[in-house]
Amino acid sequence: MGYGVAGLASPPYPNGCLSSTNNQNANGSYLEDPNYTVKLPIVDDVPGFKWRLVIAYDGTRWQFQTSPPTIQCIVEKALIRGTKLERKDLHLVGASRTDTGVHAWGQVAHFVTPFNYDSLESIHAALNGLLPSDIRIREISPAVPEFHARFSAKSKVYHYKIYNDAVMDPFQRHYAHHSIYKLNTSVMREAAKHYIGKHDFSAFVNASRNDRVPDPMKTIFRFDVIEMGALLQLEVEGSGFLYRQVRNMVALLLQIGKEAIPPDIVPKILATRDRKELAKYALSAPPHGLCLVSIKYNEEHLRLPAGCPTTSFGRTHTVSKCKLPFY
């Protein structure tokens, strides 16, 4: 998701939509996080009421289309129909982008309307009714003017799932990478510790056709390797991530888990700041095992403004009385 916020330049994108899911820049991909650290002030002087969206989507379908529309475009079209506003009036802005085939449970965006809502449940239901079944709005809440889906973010949490067994669970095939090699999780944990802290991750970023220069200095707060039977869940939280950084970090851990290379290779590759050095040992892990789980924000920016409706988590229906005759 892109930059459509007052005070910031909006780069041109194809099909009249902002760059979005699965990295829809020149390579046609969708909403990972080429999370470039752009040192710009949070300037959002668009008048009106601001609303925060929490969005989930299954990246499976988008991976196999040659020219898919971006997920942001689809959400934007639903907003245009649901609010009866023009695209230029909505100022839809997303927190980050995910690569083609990557899933999200906690993607975040915000938009603006010139009017307030009495309740958010109706517009919430309307938007999900307009969206395809593999994209859902999980939450809609009012937001204070200071909130910005991208620049208010403190950290992002990604999970990468690996199914480590001889036979793949067919129910996991779209959401976990299958490794038939028995992985040594102890050495993977040892290696993952080397990622923690502030580092230059130039060796772990793929080249992206983008006119912005990425800041390679990123802080990783935690990198956990959790065993759940045959399923391994790699959980990483960081201040931001470069293009394919998470998938490249996971790919190296997979090679270490196979015991093909030692755990201390991680700081050595980091020190080179050279993507070609990583390529000697590992290619990017497949996208379908990766999911953007949550984005954490400055708590002050998440407070609910006065005079606005409460957060909508969706409308629940109940049957209070059977209207058919009982015999």
Side-chain angles (χ1 to χ4, degrees):
M1 298 193 179
Y3 281 88
V5 56
L8 301 183
S10 296
Y13 293 101
N15 304 321
C17 289
L18 300 178
S19 177
S20 166
T21 63
N22 306 4
N23 199 27
Q24 180 82 354
N25 43 26
N27 65 0
S29 57
Y30 261 74
L31 248 171
E32 167 178 357
D33 205 334
N35 209 357
Y36 301 97
T37 303
V38 182
K39 300 299 184 181
L40 294 174
I42 299 174
V43 180
D44 199 348
D45 56 2
V46 179
F49 297 86
K50 185 178 284 187
W51 312 97
R52 180 176 63 93
L53 301 174
V54 179
I55 308 167
Y57 51 83
D58 183 332
T60 305
R61 172 164 66 106
W62 312 102
Q63 184 175 4
F64 302 106
Q65 296 186 41
T66 55
S67 299
T70 67
I71 289 175
Q72 173 158 337
C73 279
I74 295 171
V75 171
E76 194 169 60
K77 288 177 181 177
L79 281 169
I80 290 169
R81 291 182 63 185
T83 62
K84 304 296 190 293
L85 295 172
E86 298 293 329
R87 175 177 174 269
K88 61 180 177 61
D89 299 321
L90 289 168
H91 298 279
L92 179 64
V93 179
S96 61
R97 294 172 288 185
T98 52
D99 197 15
T100 305
V102 173
H103 313 290
W105 176 248
Q107 182 63 269
V108 177
H110 76 254
F111 68 99
V112 176
T113 61
F115 48 78
N116 198 358
Y117 284 101
D118 293 328
S119 170
L120 291 172
E121 288 189 347
S122 294
I123 184 64
H124 193 170
L127 290 176
N128 279 335
L130 292 165
L131 289 168
S133 58
D134 51 1
I135 306 174
R136 294 290 90 176
I137 306 296
R138 291 178 49 223
E139 298 176 27
I140 303 181
S141 63
V144 294
E146 296 83 1
F147 174 79
H148 191 284
R150 182 176 184 190
F151 295 115
S152 295
K154 294 173 63 179
S155 69
K156 296 179 176 68
V157 179
Y158 280 91
H159 288 181
Y160 194 97
K161 293 184 179 180
I162 302 165
Y163 196 79
N164 191 202
D165 200 4
V167 179
M168 181 62 181
D169 180 346
F171 299 106
Q172 296 284 348
R173 71 190 188 282
H174 294 312
Y175 311 104
H177 168 57
H178 184 206
S179 174
I180 59 175
Y181 299 93
K182 184 60 179 176
L183 299 173
N184 183 333
T185 54
S186 295
V187 294
M188 291 175 73
R189 290 189 185 95
E190 183 183 345
K193 291 177 182 178
H194 294 297
Y195 288 130
I196 298 172
K198 189 173 184 178
H199 303 287
D200 184 325
F201 281 95
S202 296
F204 289 84
V205 59
N206 280 30
S208 177
R209 300 177 193 174
N210 198 295
D211 58 359
R212 288 176 292 159
V213 177
D215 179 358
M217 299 299 298
K218 303 294 177 187
T219 302
I220 303 298
F221 301 116
R222 64 182 180 94
F223 202 131
D224 301 321
V225 180
I226 300 170
E227 294 182 78
M228 300 180 288
L231 194 66
L232 295 183
Q233 185 161 284
L234 278 57
E235 301 183 1
V236 56
E237 179 178 356
S239 60
F241 298 93
L242 298 162
Y243 180 45
R244 294 196 179 179
Q245 180 186 334
V246 177
R247 289 168 57 190
N248 287 330
M249 290 192 296
V250 168
L252 189 61
L253 289 185
L254 280 166
Q255 292 298 96
I256 293 167
K258 294 174 187 176
E259 299 183 334
I261 48 179
D264 63 2
I265 195 73
V266 175
K268 293 176 183 177
I269 293 176
L270 279 168
T272 68
R273 303 179 183 179
D274 186 353
R275 177 66 179 84
K276 293 179 182 178
E277 191 65 25
L278 175 64
K280 295 176 183 178
Y281 303 97
L283 301 175
S284 292
H288 66 279
L290 186 62
C291 181
L292 172 59
V293 173
S294 65
I295 301 175
K296 298 182 180 181
Y297 286 94
N298 182 325
E299 289 295 326
E300 185 67 14
H301 289 183
L302 289 180
R303 73 186 190 279
L304 298 180
C308 285
T310 57
T311 300
S312 172
F313 296 98
R315 182 181 290 163
T316 302
H317 297 274
T318 58
V319 177
S320 58
K321 185 177 182 182
C322 182
K323 296 182 181 179
L324 296 175
F326 179 74
Y327 297 100

